[in-house]
């Protein structure tokens, strides 16, 4: 069922990645990690909810502009604060298990960070039992890193959490290369205990990561995917 909502603000996070804040007009509850569909005219696209715990049926989306993309063209060129938007959801099962028995690895590129930001925000001040949680976030250059301070600061707020940003096109004091080396290193160095992998973002990265993990013998039940396209 489509629900009325209002686009209450649009903010730039980076040049091509913007935050869209939405207020649903009726009661709206979701599990961190879920997504919504939005409908503009006859166009329907899915977006992961990237926030958690904002009062008043409000949530955030983080969306990258794609050249030639129909919905992103609308959102970046025409949408304005106060617009009415139809949404459906929450949808999806890209959520934490009820009981967490092993380490959790979040692996993402670009706006694939969205569901993990929601999950991490939800873990702050919660008494959820968990082991280590790694966020491996890949992008090209430092200017493209999404929420660097917030993601780093979760290390002070969530026990056992570690943030690993990786740049593929710029040398810096952090990790360089692709996300794959980072989880492969953790596996090789026996740092992980009974891990569940959450892979989120565009198809190529997910395909490669899933292939690597399956080749290493990880059960597909322990590899959760959210493929953006
Ligand atoms: C569960 C789920 C969650 C998602 N969450 C997010 C999220 O949090 N953030 C996010 O940014 N995205 C997310 N996505 C992706 C999102 O749903 C859209 O696919 C994305 O925004 C592109 O939509 P679009 O209409 O702008 O592009 P489309 O019009 O669908 O085009 C898709 C691609 O085709 C190319 N293309 C389109 N038309 C042409 C043309 N005429 N010639 C050449 N190339 C063309 C575009 O450049 C683009 O690369 C998610 C997807 C799923 C399934």
């Amino acid at each position: 069922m489509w629900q009325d909502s209002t686009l209450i603000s649009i903010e730039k996070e980076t040049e091509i990645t913007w935050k869209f804040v939405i207020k649903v007009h009726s009661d709206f509850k979701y599990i961190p990690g879920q997504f919504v569909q939005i409908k503009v005219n006859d166009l329907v696209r899915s977006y992961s909810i990237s926030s958690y715990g904002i009062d008043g049926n409000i949530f955030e989306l983080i969306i990258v502009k794609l050249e030639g993309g129909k919905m992103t063209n609308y959102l970046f060129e025409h949408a304005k604060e106060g617009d009415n938007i139809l949404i459906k959801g929450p949808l999806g099962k890209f959520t934490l298990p009820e009981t967490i028995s092993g380490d959790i690895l979040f692996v993402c590129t670009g706006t694939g960070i969205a569901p993990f930001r929601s999950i991490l925000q939800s873990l702050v001040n919660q008494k959820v039992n968990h082991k280590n949680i790694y966020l491996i976030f890949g992008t090209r250059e430092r200017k493209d890193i999404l929420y660097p301070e917030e993601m780093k600061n979760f290390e002070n707020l969530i026990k056992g959490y570690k943030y690993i940003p990786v740049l593929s096109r710029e040398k810096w004091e952090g990790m360089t290369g692709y996300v794959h080396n980072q989880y492969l290193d953790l596996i090789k160095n026996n740092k992980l205990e009974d891990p569940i992998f959450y892979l989120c973002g565009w198809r190529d990265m997910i395909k490669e990561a899933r292939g690597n993990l399956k080749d290493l013998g990880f059960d597909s039940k322990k590899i959760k995917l959210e493929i953006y396209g």
Side-chain angles (χ1 to χ4, degrees):
M1 198 187 64
W2 292 100
Q3 283 176 275
D4 278 317
S5 67
T6 304
L7 180 56
I8 56 172
S9 87
I10 304 175
E11 291 164 44
K12 256 190 192 182
E13 295 295 354
T14 72
E15 200 51 38
I16 56 161
T17 306
W18 295 4
K19 178 166 83 180
F20 296 83
V21 185
I22 291 176
K23 181 177 174 59
V24 189
H25 296 178
S26 38
D27 206 24
F28 188 75
K29 299 246 177 316
Y30 58 92
I31 305 171
Q34 288 190 298
F35 67 92
V36 289
Q37 290 188 314
I38 70 175
K39 183 171 173 179
V40 174
N41 301 323
D42 282 339
L43 208 58
V44 176
R45 294 289 183 273
S46 302
Y47 294 100
S48 304
I49 298 171
S50 70
S51 62
Y52 188 75
I54 307 177
D55 286 339
N57 297 322
I58 292 172
F59 63 83
E60 299 175 355
L61 305 176
I62 172 130
I63 301 179
V64 63
K65 183 171 180 10
L66 294 181
E67 280 311 315
K70 291 193 189 70
M71 181 63 87
T72 53
N73 178 62
Y74 166 77
L75 291 170
F76 283 72
E77 304 297 334
H78 303 284
K80 53 187 190 320
E81 293 173 2
D83 279 0
N84 195 66
I85 289 204
L86 288 174
I87 70 148
K88 192 188 275 183
L91 302 162
K93 295 187 177 155
F94 197 64
T95 54
L96 291 178
E98 272 175 30
T99 315
I100 305 173
S101 55
D103 291 336
I104 302 278
L105 267 95
F106 295 143
V107 181
C108 57
T109 48
T111 51
I113 199 167
F116 304 138
R117 180 173 182 251
S118 178
I119 293 173
L120 290 166
Q121 287 185 350
S122 79
L123 290 175
V124 174
N125 298 325
Q126 294 294 319
K127 291 201 173 64
V128 178
N129 279 323
H130 60 80
K131 304 256 164 66
N132 294 319
I133 299 178
Y134 296 88
L135 172 66
I136 301 174
F137 168 79
T139 191
R140 290 177 176 174
E141 296 175 17
R142 188 192 291 253
K143 67 174 173 45
D144 308 317
I145 301 179
L146 294 168
Y147 305 111
E149 290 90 17
E150 182 181 342
M151 294 304 129
K152 179 74 184 159
N153 192 43
F154 283 134
E155 290 183 347
N156 301 317
L157 304 173
I158 302 170
K159 208 169 148 246
Y161 164 80
K162 184 152 176 44
Y163 172 49
I164 309 176
V166 195
L167 298 183
S168 61
R169 301 248 180 112
E170 186 178 330
K171 292 249 178 303
W172 68 320
E173 67 279 9
M175 297 296 171
T176 49
Y178 293 103
V179 289
H180 308 291
N181 301 342
Q182 300 308 316
Y183 62 79
L184 290 173
D185 274 359
L186 290 169
I187 295 166
K188 200 171 72 194
N189 296 320
N190 291 320
K191 292 267 173 65
L192 304 180
E193 197 190 315
D194 190 21
I196 305 184
F197 297 89
Y198 287 73
L199 314 176
C200 184
W202 305 96
R203 188 173 304 277
D204 289 352
M205 181 282 281
I206 293 192
K207 212 172 142 199
E208 185 169 344
R210 185 165 180 262
N212 288 338
L213 296 170
K214 292 197 92 177
D215 287 349
L216 287 167
F218 289 99
D219 187 337
S220 51
K221 286 200 205 85
K222 299 280 182 138
I223 307 171
K224 295 178 68 100
L225 315 176
E226 193 75 287
I227 303 175
Y228 279 6

